[in-house]
Each structure stands twice: as structure tokens, then as C-alpha cells.
Amino acid sequence: QVQLVESGGGLVQPGGSLRLSCAASGVTPYYYAIGWFRQAPGKEREGLSVITGSGSADYSDSVKGRFTISRDSAGFRDNAKNTVYLQMDNLKPEDTAVYYCAASSLAQLVWEDADEYTYWGQGTQVTVSS
């Protein structure tokens, strides 16, 4: 059974940092890409970053240079818990949103498209405010 659990959200001042974690169980690291999304009130869900099974990463223009994605496992073990991180630096008030991680096994993944992902976590709130 696939399960994604986010953690690490909270309240931070502008210019501060947070590290979000996505604990993924039931997914074989090599075959699943893990993406990070966020959704602010009244706005559509926005794709922020993705890391593929082979370790390639990509970012949206809105977070490039400020956010860094990484994962602590790789390979073919499908019963291993693996974690994907989103290090967020130089946070701005407009980064305030609920942040989600999601998993996709699609070979040709349009990573910014939320519909491409099968499994989602429950979300974690990030608030950037002084």
C-alpha cells in the first residue's frame, strides 16, 4: 500500500528557511518520481519541483534558486521507506500555502501537471509572515 506523509511545515519569517519531508512507503524508488506542489487559498495547485527515480531534478521558475529537492534512497526495493526533502530558503510571504508531495510512475511525465500523479500526501501548511 502506497502512503505519502509530509512533515516540516510551520510558521517562518520572510527570508527564513524550512525543510519539508515526504516519507514515501510502498513505492519503488527507481520507478517513481516524487513531485512537490503547493496550493494557496483561491489558487490552483502549483507544481514546484520533481525528482525522478534516476535522481534528475527540475524546478518551477518561481522557486528555482531558492528551493532544493533531494531524496535519501534509490534502487529497486519496494518495501523500503524512502524520503524526499524540499529545502526551502529565502522564503517569501507569497510562498504561504499548503504543500503536498505526490508520486507518479509515468515514464513520460509532465511533472508540473497534478493530474499526472497517482498518489498524494495529506499536505503540510507553510506560513511565511513577520
Side-chain angles (χ1 to χ4, degrees), residues 37-50:
F37 291 76
R38 67 186 177 192
Q39 189 164 20
K43 295 189 176 181
E44 292 186 357
R45 193 163 293 192
E46 175 190 10
L48 305 176
S49 183
V50 68

Side-chain angles (χ1 to χ4, degrees), residues 28-34 51-57 71 73-75:
T28 306
Y30 186 81
Y31 294 119
Y32 279 85
I34 303 293
I51 189 163
T52 68
S54 61
S56 298
R71 70 193 307 169
S73 63

Side-chain angles (χ1 to χ4, degrees), residues 18-22 36 48-49 59 67-70 84-88 99:
L18 283 174
R19 189 177 79 158
L20 304 183
S21 299
C22 172
W36 281 99
L48 305 176
S49 183
Y59 302 89
F67 291 10
T68 304
I69 194 169
S70 61
V84 174
Y85 304 97
L86 188 68
Q87 176 68 39
M88 307 187 297
Y99 283 67

Side-chain angles (χ1 to χ4, degrees), residues 26-119:
V27 294
T28 306
Y30 186 81
Y31 294 119
Y32 279 85
I34 303 293
W36 281 99
F37 291 76
R38 67 186 177 192
Q39 189 164 20
K43 295 189 176 181
E44 292 186 357
R45 193 163 293 192
E46 175 190 10
L48 305 176
S49 183
V50 68
I51 189 163
T52 68
S54 61
S56 298
D58 204 356
Y59 302 89
S60 67
D61 289 342
S62 63
V63 305
K64 193 174 295 182
R66 299 189 299 125
F67 291 10
T68 304
I69 194 169
S70 61
R71 70 193 307 169
D72 69 355
S73 63
F76 299 91
R77 291 179 59 200
D78 63 0
N79 60 349
K81 194 171 185 179
N82 69 89
T83 305
V84 174
Y85 304 97
L86 188 68
Q87 176 68 39
M88 307 187 297
D89 298 318
N90 190 23
L91 284 162
K92 306 174 181 180
E94 52 264 41
D95 293 318
T96 295
V98 178
Y99 283 67
Y100 301 89
C101 63
S104 174
S105 61
L106 293 178
Q108 300 295 328
L109 176 65
V110 180
W111 72 265
E112 306 95 323
D113 186 349
D115 292 336
E116 300 269 294
Y117 294 79
T118 305
Y119 304 104

